[in-house]
């Protein structure tokens, strides 16, 4: 009997050891995630607050820096300009995006997929591309400068150019939100309105707009936040119009006044946080528009409406292509507008002439690392958070930190990284000025959206998978690799694509962190513009667009191939 009982006891001991090991691994993963977010997000942001109450030499000065900045005339002017810039951009972008999304979702225009894809083009380009294009179009030597007089403008530089360029950059973000808001609606409401003889205008005002109000508010907050924290557009085409984002750059890079830079960063953080809080409160109040008894709305053909919306969509798509095409054309012109012959010199010699020939390669390296590490770490972190047990006290803190980057402008994050990682006493000081810190800052900057994407995908998987695996003594990592990853593969690829494109186009967070050896393509556009090499700046911007487009196409193709090989279970079996 003892000989028989001994193996059973040993098996139970092994089973307990395996469960304990899995529990330790799950808790360890959560602890690592919490520590990483604390070190690379929370502490750098806390350093901004600490430095804002210190003098240049590091001595404590209390609120003296705040008083000095508040009393300076430049603060009031920069604040007014920033809020005006953000408000005008929002008032311009959101109505245009709403009409575009309405045409896609609530009309019967042809080729909807084409127009939807064309609306996403600005995502592939750095915001500087639009500023450069508008200089070519309406600048002092612009091809269509004479058109400015038609709308009462004398110059594109300043607020007009900033609003136009930012409208281009923020347009696809608003369109995506509003398309989602208009995608679902209960057809019974429209049928009831038709039975009562309600006019199309009244149906639009009483059914369509109220149903999309939460999407409109969210889109407005996103566009407003993007404009408030935008640095590149005001720097290139803003002229003498000062904004808070440029003030930070001047204080830190121009005057090396990190204490005052921290004060301005906190000032920039306020409108961004307010917009984030408003958007969060609105989303909490949002109710489902489509219930189990609802009938999905299908638009009916209306000749006049469809024709007008088709014309509008074509005009918007043409304008988007014009902005991108103008930058590409400018990159091929020898000397605009004096020698209009075509040349590739801006691509072949332009980058080497200004010492930035390594910038494009650096961006490719950084974007690749961000795509691979970002997709892996973000999905693994979301899995630890949503699909494991234990360490319950850590989970609320992790969820809060995961959402924090969404409310923090990139410039503010960059300031925090300077203040924290550039400290000689910091054991992580070796990261400063390396490619690693560029990758880390970019991952943190865009972590929130990627985390939410991963969490959404994981919540679609029933928790019974993990429960059944645990009851069968299957290690959690096998369930993760054989079940969770294949099911969530589309979302993982989307996260990788999101990180790659944003790493190629971002400027705000990394503008303070690069070294001469790690200059990035998007940052080099700033240097080329400051040097007056607009053709080479346009060439670099065009390269970024082409690279983002090619990689996006490759990843879409790869995603389709992988889905066909690993997602056959999604197809309904034929009987």
């Amino acid at each position: 009997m003892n000989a028989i009982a001994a193996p059973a006891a040993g098996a139970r001991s092994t089973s307990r050891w395996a469960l304990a090991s899995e529990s330790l691994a799950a808790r360890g993963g959560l602890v690592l995630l919490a520590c990483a977010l604390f070190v690379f997000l929370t502490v750098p942001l806390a350093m901004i607050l600490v430095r804002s109450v210190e003098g240049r030499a590091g001595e404590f000065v209390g609120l003296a820096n705040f008083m000095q900045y508040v009393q300076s005339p430049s603060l009031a002017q920069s604040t007014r300009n920033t809020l005006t810039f953000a408000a005008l951009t929002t008032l311009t972008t959101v109505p245009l995006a709403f009409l575009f999304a309405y045409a896609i979702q609530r009309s019967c225009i042809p080729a909807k997929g084409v127009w939807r894809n064309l609306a996403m083009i600005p995502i592939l380009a750095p915001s500087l591309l639009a500023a450069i294009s508008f200089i070519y179009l309406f600048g002092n030597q612009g091809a269509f400068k004479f058109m400015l007089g038609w709308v009462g403008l004398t110059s594109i530089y300043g607020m007009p150019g900033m609003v136009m360029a930012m409208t281009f950059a923020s347009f696809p973000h608003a369109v995506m939100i509003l398309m989602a808001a208009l995608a679902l609606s209960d057809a019974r409401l429209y049928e009831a309105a038709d039975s009562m003889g309600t006019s199309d205008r009244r149906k639009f005002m009483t059914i369509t707009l109220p149903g999309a109000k939460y999407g409109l508010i969210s889109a407005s907050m996103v566009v407003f936040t993007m404009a408030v924290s935008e640095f590149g557009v005001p720097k290139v085409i803003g002229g003498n119009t000062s904004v808070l984002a440029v003030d930070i750059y001047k204080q830190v890079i121009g005057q090396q006044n990190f204490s005052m830079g921290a004060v301005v960063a906190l000032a920039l953080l306020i409108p961004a946080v307010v917009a984030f809080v408003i958007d969060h409160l609105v989303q909490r109040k949002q109710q489902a528009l489509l219930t189990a008894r609802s009938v999905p709305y299908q638009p009916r053909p209306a000749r006049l409406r469809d024709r007008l919306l088709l014309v509008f969509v074509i005009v918007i798509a043409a304008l988007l292509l014009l902005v991108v095409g103008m930058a590409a054309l400018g990159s091929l012109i020898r000397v605009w507008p004096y020698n209009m012959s075509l040349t590739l010199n801006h691509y072949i010699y332009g980058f080497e002439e200004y010492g930035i020939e390594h910038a494009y390669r650096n961006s490719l390296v950084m974007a690749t690392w961000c795509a691979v590490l970002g997709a892996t770490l973000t999905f693994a972190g979301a899995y630890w958070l949503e699909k494991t047990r234990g360490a319950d006290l850590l989970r609320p803190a992790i969820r809060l930190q995961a959402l924090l980057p969404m409310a923090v402008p990139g410039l503010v994050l960059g300031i925090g990284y300077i203040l924290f990682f550039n400290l000689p006493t910091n054991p992580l000081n070796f990261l400063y000025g390396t490619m690693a810190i560029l990758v880390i800052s970019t991952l943190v900057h865009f972590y929130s959206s990627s985390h939410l994407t991963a969490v959404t995908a994981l919540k679609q998987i029933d928790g019974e998978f993990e429960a059944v695996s645990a009851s069968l003594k299957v290690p959690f990592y096998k369930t993760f690799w054989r079940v969770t990853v294949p099911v969530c593969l589309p979302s993982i690829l989307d996260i990788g694509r999101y990180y790659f494109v944003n790493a190629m186009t971002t400027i705000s967070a990394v503008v303070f962190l690069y070294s001469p050896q790690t200059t990035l393509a998007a940052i080099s556009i700033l240097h080329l513009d400051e040097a007056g090499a607009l053709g080479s700046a346009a060439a670099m911007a065009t390269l970024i667009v082409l690279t983002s487009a090619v990689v996006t196409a490759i990843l879409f193709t790869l995603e389709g191939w992988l889905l066909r090989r690993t997602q056959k279970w999604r197809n309904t079996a034929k009987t």
Side-chain angles (χ1 to χ4, degrees), residues 9 93 110 114 184 325 396-397 406 426 488 502 538-539 554 568:
T93 305
V114 174
L184 299 177
M406 191 176 293
N426 188 344
C488 298
N502 281 286
I554 291 174
K568 292 181 180 179

Side-chain angles (χ1 to χ4, degrees), residues 47 58 136 166 229 287 327 330 353 419 441 495 497 560 573:
M47 286 297 298
Y136 276 121
M166 199 63 217
S229 58
Q287 298 177 348
E353 181 181 352
L419 299 177
S441 64
I495 293 171
R497 182 167 55 246

